[in-house]
Amino acid sequence: MKNIEFKPFLFKSAVMAMACDGDIAEEEITEIKNIVANEIYFMGYDFEEPLKSNIENIKVNGKNAINQYLQEIVSNDLNEHQEVLLIEVILKMIQADTKIEDAELKFLQMTKSKLKTDEQTLIVKFPHQIDYLIDFNNYGSHEEFTNEISI
C-alpha cells in the first residue's frame, strides 16, 4: 500500500481501536493526538476531519463499520512494515485508558488474523504486550465483530 494511502488507513485503524469498546475515553483522544503529533509515520497528517468522519461512521454503522474496516485490511495489501505499524498503533490505543476491554482484545485479534505477519514476529517486536498478542480466546477465528457499539 502506498504511503499516501496508508496514513489515512492507519489513522482509521487508531479510531476503530479507540471506539470498538463503545466508549471513547479522554485518554484515548489524548493518545491519538499524541501519536499524530510525535510519530514520524503521521508527519504532516491533518487528522481533525478524519477523526470526526471516522467517529461519525462508527456512530452511524456501529459494528458494521468495524467489519467493513476488517475487510479493508485484506484488500489493502499491506507490507510487513505497515502491518507492524498497524499493530503498534492499535496497541497504543487499547492501552491508552489503562483498562483493556474484552472488545478491544477481540478487535486486536481479529485485525491480527487479517495480516500476513505471523504472531511470533509481532511478539518479538512488542514483547511487553505478549498477553494481548496471544489469542487466548480464539477471537482471530471469528468471522465478524459482533459486539454492539453505541457511542
Side-chain angles (χ1 to χ4, degrees):
M1 177 176 229
K2 291 186 167 84
N3 191 39
I4 193 138
E5 299 161 340
F6 182 63
K7 278 184 190 181
F9 181 74
L10 188 60
F11 185 78
K12 181 178 187 174
S13 303
V15 177
M16 293 290 166
M18 178 173 66
C20 70
D21 63 354
D23 178 49
I24 298 177
E26 278 305 311
E27 298 94 336
E28 291 171 324
I29 295 289
T30 301
E31 182 64 21
I32 207 166
K33 288 178 179 179
N34 183 46
I35 291 170
V36 172
N38 296 308
E39 298 296 342
I40 194 154
Y41 43 81
F42 279 120
M43 190 182 298
Y45 187 68
D46 183 13
F47 71 93
E48 294 291 341
E49 184 52 43
L51 179 62
K52 288 178 192 162
S53 63
N54 280 303
I55 289 173
E56 186 59 31
N57 178 32
I58 296 165
K59 281 182 181 177
V60 170
N61 297 305
K63 65 183 176 188
N64 292 331
I66 301 284
N67 286 316
Q68 180 183 358
Y69 162 80
L70 291 169
Q71 293 310 309
E72 286 176 43
I73 295 170
V74 177
S75 64
N76 279 336
D77 193 32
L78 305 173
N79 63 42
E80 183 175 321
H81 179 69
Q82 291 170 331
E83 290 184 352
V84 169
L85 288 176
L86 176 73
I87 294 300
E88 179 182 330
V89 166
I90 291 172
L91 285 169
K92 285 181 179 186
M93 293 311 304
I94 67 173
Q95 295 175 102
D97 64 357
T98 65
K99 47 179 204 233
I100 311 296
E101 302 288 340
D102 198 50
E104 293 170 324
L105 290 176
K106 186 175 191 178
F107 175 77
L108 171 65
Q109 294 303 332
M110 291 182 76
T111 298
K112 204 174 70 150
S113 75
K114 306 291 183 195
L115 305 178
K116 296 177 291 282
T117 304
D118 66 10
E119 193 171 75
Q120 296 297 104
T121 302
L122 296 173
I123 290 170
V124 168
K125 297 274 187 193
F126 309 106
H128 299 293
Q129 289 85 8
I130 190 169
D131 290 343
Y132 310 138
L133 291 170
I134 295 175
D135 191 1
F136 295 111
N137 297 306
N138 293 319
Y139 290 140
S141 63
H142 292 206
E143 292 296 317
E144 284 190 0
F145 189 86
T146 56
N147 298 47
E148 292 299 328
I149 300 172
S150 57
I151 300 173

Short mmCIF file of all heavy atoms in Angstrom, two decimals, residues 18 23-33 96-97:
data_model
loop_
_atom_site.label_atom_id
_atom_site.label_comp_id
_atom_site.label_asym_id
_atom_site.label_seq_id
_atom_site.Cartn_x
_atom_site.Cartn_y
_atom_site.Cartn_z
N MET A 18 -10.00 2.74 19.11
CA MET A 18 -10.46 3.62 20.18
C MET A 18 -11.95 3.42 20.46
O MET A 18 -12.38 3.47 21.61
CB MET A 18 -10.18 5.07 19.75
CG MET A 18 -10.62 6.14 20.70
SD MET A 18 -10.05 7.78 20.19
CE MET A 18 -10.96 8.04 18.67
N ASP A 23 -16.88 3.11 23.87
CA ASP A 23 -16.58 4.26 24.72
C ASP A 23 -15.30 4.91 24.23
O ASP A 23 -14.29 4.24 24.03
CB ASP A 23 -16.39 3.81 26.17
CG ASP A 23 -16.04 4.96 27.10
OD1 ASP A 23 -16.72 6.00 27.04
OD2 ASP A 23 -15.07 4.82 27.86
N ILE A 24 -15.36 6.21 24.02
CA ILE A 24 -14.15 6.95 23.64
C ILE A 24 -13.72 7.75 24.86
O ILE A 24 -14.33 8.77 25.20
CB ILE A 24 -14.40 7.85 22.42
CG1 ILE A 24 -14.79 6.99 21.21
CG2 ILE A 24 -13.16 8.68 22.12
CD1 ILE A 24 -15.13 7.77 19.96
N ALA A 25 -12.67 7.26 25.50
CA ALA A 25 -12.17 7.91 26.72
C ALA A 25 -11.30 9.12 26.35
O ALA A 25 -10.68 9.14 25.28
CB ALA A 25 -11.35 6.91 27.53
N GLU A 26 -11.27 10.09 27.24
CA GLU A 26 -10.42 11.27 27.03
C GLU A 26 -8.97 10.87 26.82
O GLU A 26 -8.27 11.47 26.01
CB GLU A 26 -10.54 12.24 28.21
CG GLU A 26 -11.76 13.13 28.15
CD GLU A 26 -11.87 13.94 26.85
OE1 GLU A 26 -10.86 14.58 26.44
OE2 GLU A 26 -12.94 13.92 26.24
N GLU A 27 -8.51 9.85 27.56
CA GLU A 27 -7.12 9.39 27.42
C GLU A 27 -6.86 8.88 26.01
O GLU A 27 -5.74 9.01 25.50
CB GLU A 27 -6.81 8.27 28.43
CG GLU A 27 -6.92 8.66 29.87
CD GLU A 27 -8.28 8.35 30.50
OE1 GLU A 27 -9.29 8.26 29.74
OE2 GLU A 27 -8.34 8.21 31.73
N GLU A 28 -7.88 8.30 25.38
CA GLU A 28 -7.71 7.80 24.02
C GLU A 28 -7.61 8.94 23.02
O GLU A 28 -6.80 8.89 22.09
CB GLU A 28 -8.87 6.86 23.67
CG GLU A 28 -8.83 5.56 24.45
CD GLU A 28 -10.06 4.69 24.30
OE1 GLU A 28 -11.18 5.24 24.19
OE2 GLU A 28 -9.91 3.46 24.30
N ILE A 29 -8.40 9.98 23.22
CA ILE A 29 -8.31 11.17 22.36
C ILE A 29 -6.94 11.81 22.52
O ILE A 29 -6.29 12.17 21.53
CB ILE A 29 -9.43 12.19 22.70
CG1 ILE A 29 -10.81 11.61 22.39
CG2 ILE A 29 -9.20 13.51 21.97
CD1 ILE A 29 -11.14 11.46 20.92
N THR A 30 -6.48 11.92 23.75
CA THR A 30 -5.16 12.48 24.02
C THR A 30 -4.08 11.64 23.34
O THR A 30 -3.16 12.18 22.72
CB THR A 30 -4.89 12.55 25.54
OG1 THR A 30 -5.89 13.36 26.13
CG2 THR A 30 -3.51 13.10 25.85
N GLU A 31 -4.19 10.32 23.43
CA GLU A 31 -3.21 9.43 22.84
C GLU A 31 -3.20 9.52 21.32
O GLU A 31 -2.14 9.55 20.70
CB GLU A 31 -3.45 7.98 23.26
CG GLU A 31 -2.44 6.98 22.72
CD GLU A 31 -1.01 7.18 23.20
OE1 GLU A 31 -0.80 7.84 24.25
OE2 GLU A 31 -0.08 6.70 22.52
N ILE A 32 -4.36 9.59 20.69
CA ILE A 32 -4.40 9.69 19.24
C ILE A 32 -3.76 11.00 18.77
O ILE A 32 -3.02 11.03 17.79
CB ILE A 32 -5.83 9.48 18.69
CG1 ILE A 32 -5.78 8.93 17.27
CG2 ILE A 32 -6.67 10.74 18.72
CD1 ILE A 32 -7.10 8.38 16.76
N LYS A 33 -4.00 12.08 19.50
CA LYS A 33 -3.37 13.37 19.17
C LYS A 33 -1.86 13.29 19.38
O LYS A 33 -1.09 13.82 18.58
CB LYS A 33 -3.98 14.49 20.01
CG LYS A 33 -5.39 14.83 19.60
CD LYS A 33 -5.98 15.92 20.48
CE LYS A 33 -7.41 16.26 20.03
NZ LYS A 33 -8.02 17.28 20.88
N ALA A 96 -4.33 3.06 26.00
CA ALA A 96 -4.35 4.49 26.33
C ALA A 96 -5.10 4.80 27.62
O ALA A 96 -4.67 5.64 28.40
CB ALA A 96 -4.93 5.29 25.18
N ASP A 97 -6.23 4.15 27.84
CA ASP A 97 -7.04 4.47 29.02
C ASP A 97 -6.79 3.51 30.18
O ASP A 97 -7.53 3.50 31.14
CB ASP A 97 -8.53 4.53 28.67
CG ASP A 97 -9.10 3.20 28.23
OD1 ASP A 97 -8.33 2.23 28.11
OD2 ASP A 97 -10.31 3.14 27.98
#
